[in-house]
Amino acid sequence: MSSAQKPILVYTGVTPNGFPITILLEALKAIVPGFDYDYEKIDILTNRQKEPWFIELNPNGRTRHTPHYDKQHKYWFNPEAEPNEYSDMLQWLFLRHALEIPYAKKRYLDEAKRLYGVLDIRLKDHDFLAGASRGKYSIADIKTFAWYSVHMGLWVRLHAFTGIESVDAWPNVKAWLERLNKETSVIAGIQVPPRT
């Protein structure tokens, strides 16, 4: 399939907002016959996303996208057939935090630990964040795995950036991260675009 025939062109950079998209696209490649995508690397440090050609594509000047090629509901839940699971997934996708947090380093670290605790409680009886029984690998996991909160300084996948060297205090989060780090789509998706 030539690049001109690929259904999606992703404008992305090496960012936690781009990784959920490339991870999901890699997962879709495995289940949708003939599906593929191209990407164009956007270096946000040079403000390429603010150039007129990009603003014409995306007036918000951001590199976020939401593809809808998972018609089998493999990585998300059907709102009509699985309304509870769908609601569960949305809650994890749109988990937000208060913006009125003092800027002191201790406060950020305490809040990051609290959020890891929220994840750990959820993952106590679940392998994945959303779904019945043990849950299923879905876009809720993909987005949360690559999550970076500007206001919180919270990285889930790269937790050391928050000042949390180890997630040993949250064994369920640790096991979840280990599961996700073995997913083929995660391994491939975090390599798009290449670092060089």
Side-chain angles (χ1 to χ4, degrees):
M1 181 179 261
S2 73
S3 62
Q5 297 172 319
K6 293 180 182 177
I8 292 181
L9 174 60
V10 178
Y11 295 92
T12 191
V14 181
T15 73
N17 285 324
F19 292 143
I21 304 308
T22 54
I23 291 169
L24 179 59
L25 291 171
E26 289 295 326
L28 291 173
K29 280 170 60 174
I31 65 167
V32 179
F35 177 83
D36 205 352
Y37 71 98
D38 267 330
Y39 67 88
E40 185 170 330
K41 185 175 181 179
I42 301 293
D43 184 351
I44 61 173
L45 297 178
T46 64
N47 273 333
R48 188 161 180 238
Q49 75 279 11
K50 302 296 183 187
E51 293 175 5
W53 71 270
F54 191 86
I55 295 296
E56 190 173 319
L57 294 172
N58 185 348
N60 195 27
R62 299 287 187 262
T63 59
R64 300 176 192 174
H65 304 269
T66 10
H68 299 285
Y69 283 83
D70 185 6
K71 297 185 189 317
Q72 302 169 14
H73 297 96
K74 172 113 172 117
Y75 299 109
W76 66 295
F77 297 88
N78 183 331
E80 283 117 29
E82 306 165 293
N84 292 336
E85 290 83 356
Y86 181 76
S87 173
D88 197 24
M89 179 188 68
L90 289 180
Q91 290 176 52
W92 284 101
L93 281 174
F94 298 107
L95 180 66
R96 291 291 184 253
H97 45 272
L99 301 180
E100 303 166 52
I101 300 166
Y103 288 100
K105 186 175 180 178
K106 181 185 181 315
R107 185 65 182 252
Y108 280 113
L109 189 58
D110 289 347
E111 185 62 8
K113 289 177 181 179
R114 184 189 73 76
L115 292 171
Y116 281 114
V118 169
L119 283 172
D120 202 63
I121 290 167
R122 174 57 175 185
L123 293 164
K124 180 180 179 188
D125 299 317
H126 287 78
D127 293 330
F128 301 103
L129 292 175
S133 186
R134 301 293 301 176
K136 80 173 183 182
Y137 176 57
S138 74
I139 59 175
D141 298 286
I142 292 169
K143 180 62 177 163
T144 304
F145 172 78
W147 178 26
Y148 171 68
S149 163
V150 174
H151 305 290
M152 302 302 299
L154 176 63
W155 290 82
V156 175
R157 183 174 68 92
L158 303 172
H159 52 81
F161 280 106
T162 64
I164 297 173
E165 293 299 320
S166 166
V167 290
D168 289 346
W170 305 277
N172 303 313
V173 172
K174 182 177 182 177
W176 175 74
L177 287 170
E178 289 169 357
R179 275 191 296 281
L180 293 183
N181 275 312
K182 293 176 186 170
E183 286 284 338
T184 305
S185 61
V186 170
I187 294 166
I190 62 175
Q191 300 305 314
V192 178
R195 276 27 170 209
T196 56

